[in-house]
Amino acid sequence: MLLDHSTSFADCQPVGLLLDFPSVQTTAAPRSRPRPRNGGLVPHMMVETDRGFVQARHIKPGDMVYTLDGGAQEVKSVKHAVPRLTPLVHVPAGALGNDNDLLLPADQKVGLELASIEQRFDVPTAMTKAISLVGHNGITSALPDKMARIFLTFEEEEMIWAECGMLIHVPADNGGESAFCDLSLIETREILAEENGQSLAEVAGTDENATDDQDDMVSAFDMLRGLLAA
């Protein structure tokens, strides 16, 4: 038998010795840091459900949340992001149909139902980033603060009712293209100017500096978000 042969296994090395060499040591695959998602509900935001208005922090999978055009829809999943430094926008009571003052993430997309939107895009509702509304109805930028965000998922993207009369966009979980009209900063400012009875020429002549300032603000927020995601 091999065990009786004096040279059997002579060229082999003990298992313990092989494990001491780096060439055979297993290294754990580097863990990629998940990039933060845009938008998200702040924990104290009141969301309309079939059991009344409930703070976003208390929403659970299976809850029924009222949406713009789909009635009450079931929440499929709820994800709580860890608190991180977040650029914010202050929305005073009544500015967007909200009953109370609140702070929104600057990149949160909110729904607008304005006559100018329907005239221009032939849709009753469009969405825009909260930062694009700075200066409208007393909405102002606020200092960044460390804040948690809550991400709801439905069967498909939705506009949900929050704060008694405010529309908040909840994107699809797969991050696909939105079915809602998504306004750029310039389109948002033009539509708000039309609602206020201003012509585009008046806006260009009297609000040029304000537009530049807001463009700089949006760029700064995007830069900050990029730094936080790095």
Side-chain angles (χ1 to χ4, degrees):
M1 297 297 294
L2 290 176
L3 292 177
D4 296 330
H5 200 287
S6 61
T7 60
S8 296
F9 306 109
D11 295 331
C12 297
Q13 292 178 320
V15 174
L17 180 61
L18 289 175
L19 293 178
D20 292 335
F21 289 91
S23 60
V24 297
Q25 289 181 353
T26 57
T27 57
R31 298 179 60 184
S32 59
R33 292 181 58 188
R35 300 183 68 84
R37 298 168 62 182
N38 293 343
L41 308 180
V42 292
H44 58 272
M45 176 176 283
M46 302 298 292
V47 177
E48 187 176 9
T49 71
D50 60 351
R51 51 194 172 95
F53 279 92
V54 177
Q55 286 189 345
R57 72 181 83 202
H58 299 311
I59 298 292
K60 306 180 298 298
D63 285 351
M64 303 297 291
V65 172
Y66 281 103
T67 65
L68 173 64
D69 52 8
Q73 294 293 318
E74 182 182 355
V75 177
K76 296 300 183 181
S77 67
V78 180
K79 297 179 181 178
H80 294 253
V82 297
R84 63 171 60 243
L85 192 63
T86 304
L88 299 172
V89 169
H90 177 258
V91 183
L96 295 175
N98 47 304
D99 270 5
N100 301 299
D101 290 10
L102 75 155
L103 293 171
L104 290 180
D107 58 7
Q108 173 65 64
K109 292 186 177 181
V110 298
L112 297 177
E113 294 182 301
L114 301 172
S116 297
I117 292 175
E118 189 159 12
Q119 293 171 3
R120 180 179 291 208
F121 300 104
D122 197 28
V123 293
T125 307
M127 62 182 180
T128 189
K129 288 183 179 180
I131 185 61
S132 298
L133 296 172
V134 168
H136 172 62
N137 287 348
I139 298 174
T140 58
S141 58
L143 291 175
D145 196 3
K146 200 168 187 180
M147 182 174 292
R149 302 199 203 188
I150 298 171
F151 297 93
L152 307 183
T153 300
F154 297 91
E155 191 67 33
E156 55 188 22
E157 71 167 332
E158 298 288 355
M159 285 276 192
I160 65 173
W161 291 105
E163 298 292 332
C164 295
M166 184 178 186
L167 285 171
I168 298 292
H169 179 247
V170 178
D173 192 42
N174 58 13
E177 185 176 352
S178 175
F180 292 100
C181 178
D182 192 358
L183 302 177
S184 67
L185 169 64
I186 298 302
E187 288 173 332
T188 302
R189 292 188 64 81
E190 290 176 352
I191 285 172
L192 295 180
E194 291 174 11
E195 288 292 316
N196 293 328
Q198 294 177 279
S199 67
L200 296 184
E202 289 174 327
V203 174
T206 62
D207 204 29
E208 184 176 358
N209 291 334
T211 302
D212 291 341
D213 291 342
Q214 193 170 13
D215 285 338
D216 292 342
M217 189 183 305
V218 173
S219 298
F221 280 143
D222 288 341
M223 183 181 297
L224 175 59
R225 187 175 60 198
L227 291 174
L228 294 175

